[in-house]
Amino acid sequence: MKRLKLIALFLFSALTLQVSAQQKKYAMVIHGGAGTILKKNMSPEMEAAYIAVLTQALQAGYAQIKAGKTSMDAVEATIHVMENDPHFNAGKGAVFTHDGKNELDAAIMDGKTLMAGSVAGVTTIKNPISAARAVMEKSEHVMMVGAGAEQFAKEVGLEIVDPKYFWTKERWNGLQKAIKEDSTKAVLDHGSKKSELLGSKNHDYKFGTVGCVALDKAGNLAAGTSTGGMTNKKYGRVGDAPIIGAGTYCNNETAGISCTGWGEFYIRNVVAKTISDLMEYKSLSVAEASKIVLDKVGKMGGDGGLIALDKNGNVAMPFNTEGMYRGTITTDGKIEVSIYK
Amino acid sequence: MKRLKLIALFLFSALTLQVSAQQKKYAMVIHGGAGTILKKNMSPEMEAAYIAVLTQALQAGYAQIKAGKTSMDAVEATIHVMENDPHFNAGKGAVFTHDGKNELDAAIMDGKTLMAGSVAGVTTIKNPISAARAVMEKSEHVMMVGAGAEQFAKEVGLEIVDPKYFWTKERWNGLQKAIKEDSTKAVLDHGSKKSELLGSKNHDYKFGTVGCVALDKAGNLAAGTSTGGMTNKKYGRVGDAPIIGAGTYCNNETAGISCTGWGEFYIRNVVAKTISDLMEYKSLSVAEASKIVLDKVGKMGGDGGLIALDKNGNVAMPFNTEGMYRGTITTDGKIEVSIYK
């Protein structure tokens, strides 16, 4: 009798677990950047604005999936919302380079075919994520940079804007502040050339990248990332976002991953592909693999976060900063959005 | 007695194996590109010229190691020889873009610190591998592209040349041929825009990249790659060479890797880091790991080759093309250079 009870209990638990796993099956995960995001520094209006746009971004992608479109369509639709919203460091609202320009990077990857596309250092393409997708679908290349990438985007009919479109007052003020802080620092360094070459040391100038991973009804994953890079960046610096394997990677056999943070550390650790490899070669879960690689970044002195969604709809959203704008939507449409730890 | 003999035989075999392993401990491995390199198409003079410069490149790096310098110094010195020689598609001798320019890419990585540097789309830096090293050592960045990277190289005192320096007659003729073939193809495609966007379909226009991996006396690995990319390339295309994790990767715990071939497939497979991960997470040998990943590239339709050198001085040089310019030097200075299968 006792044994029967135990079996019944086991069956009940298994059933509960299965139901809870079903409830927790995620269709999409997004991030809007990691950094020193503290509740005490956030006005209620600002907080509400972030939550609203993160929700809207998730809804835009989910509508695609619900309509039977691909995860690629969902990723592109979601990132459009964030690129078009000035709150994020991607598309409109991108940070300024030292020369007062907005240089944008983006990448997208299809987990089914392992096809990928990316653009870096573009200044006239309204939605860089769509340019990345066009590179993937309409050229034989994976990566295009600068004026060449812009020319390509124009030829394939993407929306081209005057670079002024990307200008926002907040980011412009951010640049002025960064330049002032850096020049103060240079004086303190006795005018050594090195600090100038090293660029800004304020980590938070690096953050605000957006990203999305989606799993569609056919079981296909896609991942995308879009960013304006780093405030006051110089010398045509490119971060991890447009580097396949570093800031963006996707494979139906493992997971889709999009990173945000101090890009140089993400490139050196080839973060996104390493997470996928830990899943493939060590049979780790998406959460375990993500944690191990982010810990490596942290130990080296890098900070940031990432989102990952595996082929079974399990999600991971680790970060080692104060906060990360992030959100998920489950396959039954339940949205959760968070900002702080 | 029989048993004693067996033991003696075993000991003798073990000793022989050890000696042979010691003899086969490699200090450096290089490549000068993979492609349809057939003996029947090669004049004896051309063959001798390739063998001479590959030998000279190995000697230049080995001199650094012998003098107690680092593997980084060896990689840079070796790649300088190949960048300065017009036989290879790197530095002088680089192929031309569709617009008649030479746009160069390079990357370098230090296996001890996992520091890395890379440049892409540069047109005025005599030795792009040195620019990649400067990005690593003299900036806080990993990757710089275009005019920004050139500005940086100038500020740190690297040799800047007139873009005409890179012009060679053979490569110029190659561009004219590629343009002609592509325009013929476009007409055959009924003038569709697609073939124009897709670019050249002649695989051999993609090859000739150079690379080097070195292991110094302190047991530190370094890897570097330098290339002119693809003949007739358009739209600021960037290949795998300057992408850390794709065409170039190095880690003292595993191996240093430099790739050459159809770059897009190497980016999508994140080739170099995946080889390292197979060694780290599946305990595969450098040869096994290299073969698995190159086979993946081949199955997808990509071709090319790679060189890899592990922390114990074991080397792998697989390629799935007709030939690959390649060479090794053992720790006792023995040079081997090969071209064909």
Side-chain angles (χ1 to χ4, degrees), chain B residues 74-84 129 210-212 224-226:
Chain B
V75 166
E76 191 179 7
T78 290
I79 291 183
H80 275 189
V81 172
M82 293 192 280
E83 282 179 339
N84 295 347
I129 195 70
V210 308
C212 174
T225 313
S226 182

Side-chain angles (χ1 to χ4, degrees), chain B residues 50-92:
Chain B
Y50 272 109
I51 289 170
V53 65
L54 288 167
T55 304
Q56 193 197 334
L58 283 163
Q59 284 165 336
Y62 188 65
Q64 298 286 317
I65 288 175
K66 232 178 150 183
K69 299 277 185 69
T70 66
S71 48
M72 289 287 292
D73 295 326
V75 166
E76 191 179 7
T78 290
I79 291 183
H80 275 189
V81 172
M82 293 192 280
E83 282 179 339
N84 295 347
D85 187 288
H87 287 91
F88 302 104
N89 176 19
K92 186 166 182 72

Side-chain angles (χ1 to χ4, degrees), chain A residues 109 113-116 137-145 148-149 151-152 155-156 193-194 196-201 206 230 233-238 243-245 249 262 264 267-270 273-274 277-278 280-282 296 300, chain B residues 109 113-116 137-145 148-149 151-152 155-156 193-194 196-201 206 230 233-238 243-245 249 262 264 267-270 273-274 277-278 280-282 296 300:
Chain A
M109 187 159 182
T113 59
L114 301 185
M115 294 292 283
E137 293 179 345
K138 295 177 181 170
S139 88
E140 70 167 351
H141 299 316
V142 171
M143 188 173 194
M144 296 183 183
V145 301
Q151 180 63 26
F152 175 79
E155 287 183 23
V156 297
K193 196 84 185 164
K194 205 182 175 195
E196 198 184 314
L197 293 172
L198 285 172
S200 170
K201 281 296 186 193
K206 295 181 181 64
M230 206 172 128
K233 69 183 175 186
K234 291 176 191 172
Y235 308 120
R237 176 257 190 189
V238 172
I243 307 293
I244 299 302
Y249 184 74
W262 196 341
E264 278 70 14
I267 298 178
R268 291 166 56 201
N269 285 288
V270 198
K273 181 58 158 75
T274 306
D277 284 350
L278 279 167
E280 186 170 351
Y281 303 138
K282 296 282 270 184
K296 271 193 192 180
M300 274 192 184
Chain B
M109 188 160 183
T113 59
L114 301 183
M115 294 291 283
E137 294 179 344
K138 295 176 180 170
S139 87
E140 70 167 351
H141 300 316
V142 171
M143 187 172 195
M144 296 182 184
V145 300
Q151 180 63 27
F152 175 79
E155 287 182 24
V156 298
K193 196 85 184 163
K194 203 179 176 197
E196 198 182 313
L197 293 173
L198 285 173
S200 170
K201 282 295 185 192
K206 296 182 181 64
M230 203 172 130
K233 69 184 175 187
K234 291 176 192 172
Y235 308 120
R237 176 257 189 189
V238 172
I243 308 292
I244 300 301
Y249 184 74
W262 196 341
E264 278 70 15
I267 298 177
R268 292 166 55 201
N269 285 289
V270 198
K273 181 58 158 76
T274 306
D277 284 350
L278 279 167
E280 187 171 350
Y281 303 138
K282 297 283 268 185
K296 271 192 193 181
M300 274 192 185

Side-chain angles (χ1 to χ4, degrees), chain B residues 3 5 11 38 54 60 63 72 81 120 149 152 154 167 180 193 253-254 256 258 296 312 319-320 325:
Chain B
R3 200 167 167 189
K5 261 193 197 165
L11 282 176
L38 292 166
L54 288 167
M72 289 287 292
V81 172
F152 175 79
K154 202 174 167 185
W167 194 97
K180 202 175 158 190
K193 196 85 184 163
E253 300 302 314
T254 53
S258 169
K296 271 192 193 181
N312 300 314
F319 54 96
N320 61 12
Y325 301 106

Side-chain angles (χ1 to χ4, degrees), chain A residues 27-302:
Chain A
M28 278 176 55
V29 54
I30 61 172
H31 68 77
T36 315
I37 308 164
L38 292 165
K39 198 169 173 67
K40 63 176 183 185
N41 299 335
M42 185 84 79
S43 71
E45 295 75 26
M46 188 64 104
E47 195 177 287
Y50 273 109
I51 289 169
V53 66
L54 288 167
T55 304
Q56 194 197 331
L58 283 163
Q59 284 166 336
Y62 188 66
Q64 298 286 319
I65 287 175
K66 232 178 149 182
K69 299 277 183 71
T70 66
S71 47
M72 290 287 292
D73 295 326
V75 165
E76 191 179 9
T78 290
I79 291 184
H80 276 189
V81 173
M82 293 192 280
E83 282 179 340
N84 296 346
D85 186 288
H87 287 91
F88 302 103
N89 176 19
K92 185 166 182 71
V95 299
F96 284 90
T97 66
H98 183 72
D99 300 331
K101 290 181 189 166
N102 303 104
E103 288 182 1
L104 312 169
D105 307 334
I108 196 164
M109 187 159 182
D110 181 341
K112 184 185 178 187
T113 59
L114 301 185
M115 294 292 283
S118 104
V119 293
V122 298
T123 60
T124 61
I125 303 169
K126 188 185 176 199
N127 291 109
I129 195 70
S130 296
R133 186 173 181 177
V135 170
M136 176 186 136
E137 293 179 345
K138 295 177 181 170
S139 88
E140 70 167 351
H141 299 316
V142 171
M143 188 173 194
M144 296 183 183
V145 301
E150 289 167 359
Q151 180 63 26
F152 175 79
K154 202 174 166 182
E155 287 183 23
V156 297
L158 292 182
E159 190 172 350
I160 302 299
V161 292
D162 188 291
K164 276 185 282 184
Y165 163 79
F166 298 106
W167 194 95
T168 61
K169 190 168 179 284
E170 200 197 350
R171 299 299 190 188
W172 182 255
N173 293 344
L175 173 64
Q176 305 316 316
K177 199 178 154 208
I179 289 175
K180 202 175 158 189
E181 282 177 14
D182 281 0
S183 68
T184 310
K185 198 181 166 298
V187 170
L188 290 172
D189 289 349
H190 306 282
S192 86
K193 196 84 185 164
K194 205 182 175 195
S195 67
E196 198 184 314
L197 293 172
L198 285 172
S200 170
K201 281 296 186 193
N202 183 328
H203 294 183
D204 272 2
Y205 293 158
K206 295 181 181 64
F207 302 118
T209 299
V210 308
C212 174
V213 188
L215 177 63
D216 62 27
K217 286 181 178 172
N220 293 318
L221 287 163
T225 313
S226 182
T227 188
M230 206 172 128
T231 299
N232 201 23
K233 69 183 175 186
K234 291 176 191 172
Y235 308 120
R237 176 257 190 189
V238 172
D240 63 316
I243 307 293
I244 299 302
T248 308
Y249 184 74
C250 194
N251 189 333
N252 269 5
E253 299 303 313
T254 52
I257 299 122
S258 169
C259 302
T260 172
W262 196 341
E264 278 70 14
F265 291 89
Y266 283 74
I267 298 178
R268 291 166 56 201
N269 285 288
V270 198
V271 166
K273 181 58 158 75
T274 306
I275 291 170
S276 173
D277 284 350
L278 279 167
M279 295 177 70
E280 186 170 351
Y281 303 138
K282 296 282 270 184
S283 303
L284 297 191
S285 72
V286 66
E288 290 165 335
S290 300
K291 188 186 177 308
I292 286 175
V293 183
L294 188 62
D295 284 351
K296 271 193 192 180
V297 167
K299 264 180 208 156
M300 274 192 184

